């Protein structure tokens, strides 16, 4: 901008004023600037300008991955809200790794941010870093949390797992629970919610535990199901999977072993998932699941962040649970 100012003979403050609001400068000056922009093909670095503001308009977003359509959909919706509200989104991924998450938090702490939206991993090791990030900028946890005083918006796992359990037991036998790796708080809560639902029904819990720590859920579900089919099967012929991606692996294994899945009387197995993953309607058979409130998750998270940024912190709830909705399809 200094170079452009010197070339066209207009002061840098006037140029800055133009870029912030073109209508704020005289028509003749605006015309001269616009002609120069066209002649020199000049474009201001909006990202650098945003970093230099006293009141930054950057929102940091940290999620485990954006290759998973679940997080990709959420991030896309947050980006749109940021743009609509005049904010620039900076997206980082932890890739399910504690050290990578730590580096990402440090990156967010180094940037001038208006606020940050984070889906944390399950580890408590980075708790102090999240606390330090909260002291520097407004922070909201989304989808998962680590049990701190940082505001959290996410699915009510006890409501949703209980809803799905009740449906399965009404339409067939008590379901066996296929666990997921303990990669975040959702894994712990959903297992606990299954135990609660089984206790209310007066049925002993049947749990297939997962010891492996990995985000490769489909492979884990596939391996667990293959092992079961090669031996004595699962404890029940109705399976409640901790998430849809685990269920995808189970469905693939069932196909491999020629085990029919579905609600028809001739089917050998029923399978249900959780999350209403964007691909769950395209499996064979299409997957019965719990739909998370995607719109509510994004909008409530962003609204709470805006309250925090505006300083209205007394109006911010510490925890905002969102109810799931059962999606009945052909698999269970």
């Amino acid at each position: 901008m200094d170079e452009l100012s010197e070339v066209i003979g207009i002061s840098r403050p006037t140029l800055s004023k133009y870029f912030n609001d073109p209508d704020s400068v005289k028509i003749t000056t605006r015309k001269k600037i616009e002609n120069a922009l066209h002649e020199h093909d000049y474009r201001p670095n909006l990202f650098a300008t945003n970093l230099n503001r006293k009141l930054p308009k950057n929102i940091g977003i940290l999620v485990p991955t954006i290759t998973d359509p679940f997080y990709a959909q959420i991030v896309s919706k947050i980006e749109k809200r940021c743009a609509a509200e005049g904010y620039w989104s900076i997206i980082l991924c932890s890739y399910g790794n504690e050290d990578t998450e730590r580096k990402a938090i440090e990156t967010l702490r180094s940037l001038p941010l208006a606020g940050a939206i984070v889906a944390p991993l399950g580890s408590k090791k980075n708790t102090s870093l999240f606390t330090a990030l909260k002291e520097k900028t407004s922070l909201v946890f989304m989808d998962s949390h680590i049990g701190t005083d940082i505001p959290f918006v996410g699915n009510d796992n006890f409501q949703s797992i209980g809803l799905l359990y009740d449906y399965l037991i009404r339409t067939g036998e008590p379901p066996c629970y296929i666990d997921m790796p303990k990669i975040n708080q959702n894994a712990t809560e959903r297992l606990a919610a299954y135990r609660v639902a089984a206790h209310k029904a007066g049925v002993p819990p049947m749990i297939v535990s997962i010891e492996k720590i990995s985000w490769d859920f489909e492979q884990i579900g596939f391996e667990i199901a293959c092992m079961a089919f090669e031996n004595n099967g699962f404890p029940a012929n109705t399976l409640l999977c901790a998430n849809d991606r685990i269920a995808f692996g189970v469905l693939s294994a069932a196909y491999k072993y020629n085990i029919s899945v579905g609600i028809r009387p001739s089917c050998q197995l029923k399978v249900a998932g959780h999350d209403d993953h964007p691909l769950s309607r395209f499996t064979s058979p299409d997957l019965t699941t719990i739909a998370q409130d995607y719109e509510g998750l994004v909008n409530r998270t962003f609204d709470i962040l805006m309250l925090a940024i505006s300083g209205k912190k007394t109006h911010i709830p510490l925890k905002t649970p969102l109810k799931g909705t059962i999606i009945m399809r052909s698999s269970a």
Side-chain angles (χ1 to χ4, degrees):
M1 199 180 293
D2 286 333
E3 293 172 350
L4 182 67
S5 171
E6 183 177 347
V7 167
I8 67 176
I10 292 177
S11 69
R12 174 164 177 159
T14 301
L15 284 176
S16 295
K17 191 176 180 183
Y18 167 83
F19 287 125
N20 287 326
D21 180 11
D23 293 331
S24 65
V25 299
K26 294 188 301 182
I27 294 178
T28 54
T29 303
R30 185 167 74 237
K31 196 70 175 175
K32 185 176 181 180
I33 293 172
E34 289 170 353
N35 289 338
L37 294 179
H38 177 73
E39 179 184 353
H40 297 286
D41 193 27
Y42 176 81
R43 295 174 180 83
N45 187 331
L46 298 178
F47 184 68
T49 301
N50 205 10
L51 289 175
N52 199 38
R53 293 179 186 270
K54 291 183 179 179
L55 297 175
K57 300 289 283 185
N58 303 305
I59 299 291
I61 303 169
L62 173 58
V63 295
T65 177
I66 55 172
T67 58
D68 185 330
F70 174 80
Y71 286 112
Q73 188 166 216
I74 289 173
V75 169
S76 175
K77 291 178 182 295
I78 294 174
E79 278 192 290
K80 290 177 181 177
R81 277 297 307 266
C82 285
E85 301 289 341
Y87 287 88
W88 184 291
S89 52
I90 301 172
I91 302 165
L92 300 173
C93 292
S94 61
Y95 300 103
N97 181 277
E98 294 174 2
D99 290 336
T100 306
E101 181 183 66
R102 174 180 54 78
K103 293 174 183 176
I105 301 168
E106 293 287 11
T107 298
L108 292 177
R109 289 181 64 198
S110 72
L111 297 171
L113 299 176
I117 295 172
V118 175
L121 302 179
S123 173
K124 300 286 187 180
K125 292 182 179 179
N126 292 328
T127 299
S128 61
L129 288 176
F130 281 123
T131 300
L133 179 61
K134 183 191 174 187
E135 291 173 355
K136 184 177 184 295
T137 190
S138 299
L139 175 61
V140 181
F141 281 157
M142 170 197 68
D143 181 54
S144 61
H145 61 91
I146 54 174
T148 65
D149 61 350
I150 295 169
F152 163 69
V153 182
N155 185 69
D156 184 342
N157 290 308
F158 285 88
Q159 178 267 340
S160 60
I161 290 290
L163 181 66
L164 187 54
Y165 187 99
D166 290 345
Y167 166 74
L168 293 173
I169 202 171
R170 283 199 319 271
T171 57
E173 64 179 350
C176 164
Y177 184 76
I178 312 300
D179 201 7
M180 62 186 285
K182 300 300 185 291
I183 42 79
N184 60 24
Q185 193 65 24
N186 284 322
T188 303
E189 286 186 0
R190 291 178 189 180
L191 176 58
Y194 169 81
R195 292 183 185 278
V196 169
H199 178 75
K200 286 182 179 179
V203 177
M206 297 172 282
I207 299 166
V208 177
S209 299
I210 307 291
E211 301 300 328
K212 190 175 181 180
I213 302 298
S214 169
W215 282 80
D216 195 3
F217 300 143
E218 294 87 353
Q219 183 65 32
I220 290 172
F222 179 79
E223 292 173 356
I224 287 292
C226 286
M227 190 179 303
F229 296 149
E230 288 176 359
N231 294 288
N232 299 318
F234 288 104
N237 290 324
T238 298
L239 308 180
L240 194 169
C241 300
N243 65 39
D244 289 348
R245 291 178 59 194
I246 292 286
F248 295 164
V250 172
L251 291 175
S252 178
Y255 178 81
K256 176 180 178 181
Y257 285 85
N258 200 29
I259 295 173
S260 57
V261 177
I263 56 178
R264 298 188 307 276
S266 60
C267 291
Q268 301 162 271
L269 197 66
K270 293 181 179 180
V271 178
H274 192 293
D275 293 337
D276 196 25
H277 189 286
L279 299 179
S280 63
R281 70 192 66 185
F282 301 113
T283 57
S284 182
D286 50 343
L287 186 65
T288 291
T289 185
I290 288 288
Q292 289 203 49
D293 184 359
Y294 283 81
E295 294 293 337
L297 179 62
V298 170
N299 290 329
R300 290 295 296 133
T301 300
F302 201 88
D303 290 344
I304 288 172
L305 184 65
M306 291 297 101
L307 283 174
I309 290 172
S310 68
K312 300 176 181 178
K313 298 187 177 181
T314 56
H315 301 281
I316 297 176
L318 182 59
K319 190 172 183 179
T320 304
L322 303 174
K323 294 187 181 301
T325 304
I326 192 165
I327 305 295
M328 291 175 283
R329 298 194 181 109
S330 303
S331 69

